[in-house]
Amino acid sequence: MKTKLVLLLSVMSLQFCTAQNSQTIKNLEAFTRAYGYVKYFHPSDEAFAVDWNKFSAYGAAEVEKCKNNEELVEALNKVFLPIAPTIKFGLSDNKTPYKAEQITPENIKDYKQVYWQHQGVGFNTLYANKKSNPYQSVRVNKKAKVDKSAKFGNLMTWIKPKDLRGKEFKYEGWAWLEDGSEGQGQPWIRVDLGKRKVGFFNNSRNNPITDSKWTKFEIEGRVDSTAQGIVIGCFLLGKGTLYVDNIKLSYKEDNEWIEFPVTNKDFETEGLKTNGKSDAKWRGLGDGYAIKIQSKDKQSGSKAVKIQYEGETSVKKGEQLFDCKPEVGEIIEEEITDGVYCQIPLLVFGNKTETYPPADKQSLEELSSQVSKIKESPDDLYVRIGNIVNTYNLFKHFYPYFDVVDVNWEAELLSALKQSYADKNGEDHQNTLLRFTAKLRDGHVNVGSKYNYNHIPPILWEWVEGKLIITHVKDKSLPFKRGDVVESIDGKAPSDYFANTHSLISAANEGWLNYKAINKSLAGKKGSTITIGLNSREHVLTRAYSKDEVLKSGDVKTDKYRFYNDSSIVYLNLDIIEMDTINELMSALEKSSAIICDLRGYPNSNHAFISHLLKDDDTSDAWMQVPQIIYPDYKNVCSYEKHGWFIKTQKPYLGDKQVIFIIDGQAISYAESYLGFIEGYDLATIVGQPSAGTNGNVNPFEINGAYRISWTGMKVLKHDGSQHHGIGIIPDVRVEKTIEGVRDGIDEFLEKALELAE
């Protein structure tokens, strides 16, 4: 009898938990949808001023534990009325009409109509105030403070490379981030090669300073043999305060580290060069940041550098971006979860001091106090949920490719919300964000944070002829060679191991997915291991290298250009060749019979070469389109702001020769803009595999915990107006790699191009 009673209680408990979980997810779904409607489309002063990142966590915590829809409506009112006093929530079976009179002042003489207009989206995005940014959001007829601050405050110095060329180096120092800072510290080093060309570069994007105690940082690499200068420094990305001290640069000689002299490396002997004149070697840069040497906090000695965000703002009038606007009394009326609806005005009236009606001051102050207490740690359940809420809404209302991407975004929201309860820490949350956004199939999507790990073992691999093949081996002592077939990875079949890797990658097509998976499948924390089954043996490899270090280990040629067939065929590597160098080669190009352009990657600012292939000036003016939005859910888009490059022809004309472009799945974004002209104007024979199928300016945003998510904010078409996203540039001649070709070190794409050229 006792056993039966225990079993019955267990079943009842499970049913209760399931019911609670179902109601909990309903509560969060309702909050999520209301959050996006108010944030992006309700133009009250109070909503505009709230910290939306922290508000997402606060609101999630407030509604989550509601036991039924009645409690949910009450909680939603508590959360939203202080920032949206004209909002209305109710039960769907008791819906009443919305009265426009409640948002209309008796005397509207001194009031203007206030509403949101979005060109793409520029509200709460990282590039919102950049002059070159094509994305803008405006509350029409309302002035707003615009943060004109730089995105980071930077400490830096320039060093002559002297005896460092071609040698391994180690850049190290100490830094810490004050509690309450919303940004992160990033030590960085760059090797300049001259003519705006950059060699080695590392800005600690994947290993930032976030600790609130002195932490040692370290970057290792190799100075390029053609280095003209080395720049080292550390910057504060975002808001907060960062301290830096005791910089050290060393190089390896006879297997020993030797310190290289850096002027004022401990900041004890001189000041910084900022806006005024100074002979100091170290400089502080960044509008809105105070960068100075101080003596209160230091790692050792008597001084250290303090980088502090102070902000630099200006007031900007909200001027209309385009003609489309909502009407007085026009509202969002939606069922935000089963049984609960909301009504939210798209337009309110406002004067110089406030929007009408103003919020209850006491309620607003209480809410602001609660929101300000939110800590941004992803160890907090509600911070994780808030990040899902934030991410869902930005894409829901502004992602331009839902019409060509097969995804049920609402179902993915519910899945991600549920997964947030299972996640335990920031790394788990990173993977949830990656899996959530991967479903969008946008090759520009990336989730950046301190949990990105990019160290790999001394090998690279690739899928060839249905098998996972070793393609590069840095450590020659390993019993591996090019073309070896991988049999297992950490005890799993390669296909099973890669299935998990693929779930973390947002890719518009298979080519970009495979390219990204090559590195991601190998990457992990520095010093961690991966077990490779090969030749019926298991080999434990340590992750200690960057991908570039493995690529540059002697297996890959990186010539900017080459001549074939007595110089009648000229090969241009568009990934690395500068336009200046192409211009220097113009005579040889003019005399050649064929030109092979390798664009398996990203162009080095050399798209002016297109002008020598065009017979007539480019007039295509609508292949880049920024949506103009006043309604939620990407519905009833007003129009599109259209952009083109409008390239003019230049002499000498090279289009009368045989021109061949080599491409593959890693050609993305700028590369596809370049290739769009080649395909659209039929300027060359295209050889290889389809490009990534993702183009358009990225529009990154940041959420709690310093997670930064990039994505595509505009719609890009082919020059004939057809779909580009997910399709890419299709080659005229397709090439497949072979295992035999990998083993023999043959570039089969280039071989095919040469065959066609000859």
Side-chain angles (χ1 to χ4, degrees), residues 418-431:
K418 292 173 184 176
Q419 182 59 41
S420 296
Y421 286 86
D423 293 341
K424 302 301 181 186
N425 52 45
E427 194 166 347
D428 289 347
H429 184 50
Q430 164 104 341
N431 287 334

Side-chain angles (χ1 to χ4, degrees), residues 171-321:
Y171 168 47
E172 52 195 319
W174 293 81
W176 73 280
L177 192 70
E178 260 189 17
D179 274 338
S181 296
E182 297 177 15
Q184 60 188 30
Q186 292 185 218
W188 66 282
I189 181 168
R190 185 186 74 220
V191 178
D192 292 336
L193 307 182
K195 293 186 177 180
R196 302 188 302 276
K197 181 67 175 172
V198 174
F200 180 91
F201 176 73
N202 186 316
N203 68 357
S204 302
R205 182 182 66 178
N206 299 320
N207 189 31
I209 301 294
T210 56
D211 288 343
S212 56
K213 61 182 179 180
W214 283 107
T215 303
K216 187 175 183 181
F217 62 80
E218 194 173 287
I219 300 173
E220 293 186 19
R222 184 179 294 276
V223 177
D224 301 71
S225 59
T226 57
Q228 301 298 306
I230 300 171
V231 191
I232 60 174
C234 187
F235 61 81
L236 168 65
L237 176 67
K239 300 177 181 178
T241 304
L242 177 74
Y243 296 87
V244 185
D245 202 2
N246 290 323
I247 299 298
K248 184 179 179 182
L249 183 63
S250 307
Y251 63 94
K252 187 174 280 190
E253 192 78 71
D254 296 328
N255 217 31
E256 290 186 11
W257 288 108
I258 300 172
E259 186 171 354
F260 185 85
V262 176
T263 302
N264 197 24
K265 65 176 185 175
D266 52 7
F267 309 108
E268 301 287 328
T269 59
E270 60 181 42
L272 299 178
K273 183 177 182 180
T274 50
N275 294 328
K277 293 182 179 180
S278 171
D279 294 327
K281 298 298 182 184
W282 287 90
R283 301 183 64 190
L285 303 169
D287 293 339
Y289 289 85
I291 306 171
K292 57 187 178 182
I293 293 176
Q294 51 81 56
S295 57
K296 183 180 177 182
D297 293 280
K298 61 271 184 187
Q299 193 270 328
S300 64
S302 61
K303 298 176 183 178
V305 174
K306 178 181 180 180
I307 307 174
Q308 184 173 31
Y309 172 83
E310 294 183 339
E312 184 175 318
T313 62
S314 65
V315 176
K316 185 177 181 180
K317 183 180 178 182
E319 296 182 347
Q320 197 170 353
L321 297 173

Side-chain angles (χ1 to χ4, degrees), residues 80-108:
F80 284 103
L81 278 173
I83 62 170
T86 54
I87 199 169
K88 183 177 179 181
F89 296 100
L91 301 176
S92 299
D93 57 6
N94 192 28
K95 188 184 296 185
T96 57
Y98 191 89
K99 297 179 180 179
E101 302 86 67
Q102 70 187 71
I103 65 169
T104 307
E106 289 184 8
N107 182 1
I108 64 171

Side-chain angles (χ1 to χ4, degrees), residues 461 468 486-494 497-498 521 530-533:
W461 53 29
L468 187 61
V486 177
E487 296 157 359
S488 66
I489 309 167
D490 286 342
K492 298 180 180 178
Y497 185 89
F498 267 76
S521 59
I530 185 170
T531 302
I532 309 299

Side-chain angles (χ1 to χ4, degrees), residues 449-461:
S449 78
K450 66 180 181 180
Y451 306 105
N452 293 105
Y453 305 120
N454 280 336
H455 282 89
I456 66 172
I459 63 167
L460 282 171
W461 53 29

